[in-house]
Amino acid sequence: MVQELGYEKLTPIQAESIPHLLAGKDLVGQAKTGSGKTAAFALPILHKINMKNQRLQAMILCPARELAAQVVTEIRKLGRRHDGLQVLTITGGVPSRPQTIALESGVHIVVGTPGRVLDLIQRNRMDLSQIKTLVLDEADKMFEMGFEDEIKAILKEIPRTRQTAFFSATFPESIQMLSNKHQKNPIMISIEDTKETAPQIEQFVYSAEPADKISTLLRVLQQHPSNSTIVFCNMKLDVNELAKILAEENISSACIHGDLDQRERDRVMAMFRNGSHRILIATDVAARGLDIENLELVINFDLPQHPDIYVHRIGRTGRAGRTGVAVSLATAQETMRVVEIEKFTGVKLERRILGFKNQHGLSKDLRESTMKTISISGGRKDKLRPGDILGALTGEAGGLSASDVGKIEIQDRFSYVAISASLADAAFERLRQGRIKGKKFQIKFMK
């Protein structure tokens, strides 16, 4: 099964964890983000699922909605040969009623955030009696985000006969105490970055006093051209202000913060992943759990308060053998914070000087995106698949070439498709006038 899904070579955390989890052992797995932890716990869970039993058998807790959605996507991909497999996302930010209806209809695996999961447990909307496996994914981040009480409350409700696995990038004392209380003789696995697995990231720092940070950022964007950039700010207000300034400069960008509802977050992330927005501005909390494929550049508009957050931010680029670039803006007063980051990471940040102010005008690439996003009012619940949308665009009625169609993202009730900007109007008309799987859907351009 593993080989069929493209896992000819397991990552270190997978190779170390899977045999113990298959044997029913409790486990604590420590490995960096992006090391393949999801498959490490998902494959054993899928191996043990009793498909004839429609009751909840496994629960995975995650620190953020986006991470939960990614885990669900991965489990569905890994479990595609399990006919009738029901995997449910249970997170806040959306109404709980559809989630309770799905639970009543029968679910094998739940992936959720601690707050909403505990809420449904306390309202007796979730039958925990058949749960055999509980996984805490990014356990350290859940504690950092203040979910300790919810996690402890959930652990008390799930049968003691369960198998419990914690996966975490770090192993603080809080996780150790939780393990001592709620696990049975756990296997301890710690995977250190090797030369092969360590991300290849060039790290630069530019001096920028507060009054000059915006202009410095614009020149950084010129000097480090990128098709996919995340800009981190420490405060939500700064995210909004920076997004406004970039919009005034007609730079293709979007922002993500805690005030966005789930549907809006999904829209923003879909457009960033498919290249319709080149730049995403975010806070750490809003970006928690985001895993962006082919992210080229990370900019710390604000230096983080702690060096471990710096590592987490820049670790989103330079994955899977690719190289990445991380740029930090630092004021004179933040010199010691840069030194602390260097001591923590063991890497010296390269000090760089930008050219003269306004030496180069903003490039056309910064102001334009090569892709546009079309929204379709149907998704997974309507049995839509990427191939259905691609066929509607490239078949006889569509007439487009497959190379003109970018990433297609299917969500529960909506789908997003990226189209080459020069052909987007034609694609829009063909979808609007045509049908997908014999049905008419509402079609919109997303901005």
Side-chain angles (χ1 to χ4, degrees):
M1 177 177 72
V2 177
Q3 284 76 15
E4 289 175 7
L5 290 161
Y7 283 82
E8 289 87 357
K9 184 179 179 182
L10 298 178
T11 68
I13 189 65
Q14 292 164 0
E16 292 280 343
S17 301
I18 289 173
H20 295 299
L21 292 174
L22 287 173
K25 301 286 188 182
D26 283 5
L27 182 142
V28 175
Q30 182 182 348
K32 297 295 183 186
T33 301
S35 58
K37 295 195 292 285
T38 302
F41 60 73
L43 288 169
I45 286 174
L46 289 167
H47 182 76
K48 296 177 183 182
I49 288 291
N50 178 1
M51 294 300 298
K52 295 179 182 178
N53 181 4
Q54 284 294 111
R55 296 171 75 180
L56 180 58
Q57 299 169 51
M59 178 184 290
I60 300 154
L61 296 178
C62 302
R65 292 173 286 190
E66 287 76 16
L67 180 60
Q70 289 170 22
V71 170
V72 167
T73 298
E74 183 76 1
I75 291 174
R76 285 176 176 150
K77 182 176 77 173
L78 294 170
R80 64 175 180 257
R81 296 186 184 277
H82 290 61
D83 266 353
L85 177 69
Q86 296 297 318
V87 187
L88 178 64
T89 310
I90 293 185
T91 62
V94 294
S96 64
R97 180 163 173 74
Q99 298 170 358
T100 59
I101 292 172
L103 286 167
E104 291 167 2
S105 301
V107 170
H108 297 108
I109 303 169
V110 154
V111 184
T113 48
R116 176 58 63 86
V117 168
L118 182 59
D119 173 60
L120 294 184
I121 290 173
Q122 291 175 337
R123 292 197 282 126
N124 296 317
R125 295 291 190 266
M126 197 181 302
D127 179 5
L128 308 177
S129 63
Q130 301 290 308
I131 289 184
K132 300 295 189 294
T133 305
L134 173 68
V135 175
L136 270 61
D137 190 17
E138 294 203 8
D140 54 344
K141 301 305 176 190
M142 284 193 279
F143 271 62
E144 280 180 22
M145 295 170 70
F147 287 127
E148 183 174 356
D149 290 343
E150 288 89 343
I151 290 169
K152 289 178 178 177
I154 292 168
L155 283 164
K156 287 179 182 177
E157 298 294 331
I158 297 178
R160 294 284 296 174
T161 54
R162 68 178 185 264
Q163 178 185 35
T164 309
F166 297 167
F167 284 86
S168 188
T170 61
F171 193 56
E173 186 179 349
S174 55
I175 303 294
Q176 177 70 66
M177 292 173 65
L178 199 70
S179 173
N180 293 342
K181 186 170 183 180
H182 294 282
Q183 290 187 298
K184 304 180 292 290
N185 303 315
I187 304 296
M188 308 296 291
I189 295 171
S190 180
I191 305 297
E192 299 297 329
D193 277 350
T194 64
K195 192 173 182 180
E196 289 75 26
T197 63
Q200 303 300 308
I201 306 171
E202 295 181 279
Q203 300 176 53
F204 306 112
V205 61
Y206 293 94
S207 295
E209 294 310 307
D212 300 324
K213 288 182 82 172
I214 298 294
S215 62
T216 302
L217 172 66
L218 295 178
R219 285 185 285 158
V220 166
L221 291 170
Q222 296 163 20
Q223 191 143 325
H224 297 277
S226 161
N227 289 310
S228 180
T229 302
I230 290 185
V231 180
F232 280 106
C233 300
N234 291 341
M235 304 290 289
K236 181 174 60 181
L237 288 174
D238 294 328
V239 168
N240 288 330
E241 182 64 22
L242 193 52
K244 181 181 176 183
I245 291 169
L246 292 186
E248 289 170 353
E249 293 283 350
N250 294 317
I251 293 175
S252 170
S253 64
C255 65
I256 184 168
H257 52 67
D259 285 350
L260 298 185
D261 63 27
Q262 189 61 39
R263 182 172 163 184
E264 184 68 8
R265 292 163 74 95
D266 290 343
R267 180 191 69 81
V268 169
M269 290 312 304
M271 293 182 70
F272 182 61
R273 281 190 288 261
N274 70 28
S276 293
H277 291 310
R278 291 171 177 262
I279 300 170
L280 181 69
I281 311 161
T283 59
D284 290 295
V285 171
R288 184 70 70 198
L290 299 185
D291 190 9
I292 311 300
E293 189 177 355
N294 298 334
L295 182 65
E296 298 175 1
L297 174 64
V298 171
I299 299 176
N300 293 304
F301 185 77
D302 298 319
L303 281 180
Q305 298 297 323
H306 302 287
D308 60 329
I309 297 176
Y310 173 86
V311 172
H312 190 74
R313 286 180 180 181
I314 72 164
R316 298 171 188 279
T317 186
R319 291 187 177 181
R322 302 183 184 93
T323 58
V325 176
V327 171
S328 298
L329 308 186
T331 67
Q333 288 75 25
E334 292 174 321
T335 301
M336 285 310 299
R337 195 178 293 181
V338 173
V339 172
E340 288 171 4
I341 288 170
E342 291 175 328
K343 285 182 179 177
F344 186 83
T345 61
V347 175
K348 190 166 182 62
L349 277 60
E350 183 178 336
R351 273 71 173 169
R352 282 225 175 157
I353 298 173
L354 290 162
F356 296 113
K357 190 172 183 179
N358 299 324
Q359 181 180 0
H360 306 289
L362 289 176
S363 69
K364 186 179 179 182
D365 286 346
L366 274 177
R367 298 188 187 279
E368 295 181 358
S369 289
T370 57
M371 310 300 283
K372 287 189 175 181
T373 297
I374 295 174
S375 166
I376 301 164
S377 66
R380 196 177 294 111
K381 301 285 188 184
D382 304 285
K383 309 298 183 185
L384 280 189
R385 299 170 302 172
D388 300 323
I389 297 171
L390 184 62
L393 288 164
T394 61
E396 287 184 17
L400 271 70
S401 167
S403 62
D404 298 321
V405 182
K407 187 177 180 65
I408 298 173
E409 191 163 320
I410 309 290
Q411 299 180 0
D412 281 349
R413 291 296 182 191
F414 289 88
S415 299
Y416 300 101
V417 55
I419 306 290
S420 294
S422 60
L423 296 170
D425 289 339
F428 178 88
E429 282 304 313
R430 284 162 186 165
L431 287 176
R432 189 177 67 83
Q433 295 175 12
R435 295 174 182 269
I436 305 173
K437 291 187 76 172
K439 296 180 183 178
K440 293 285 285 185
F441 293 97
Q442 188 176 7
I443 309 299
K444 290 182 180 179
F445 270 126
M446 304 308 293
K447 295 181 180 180

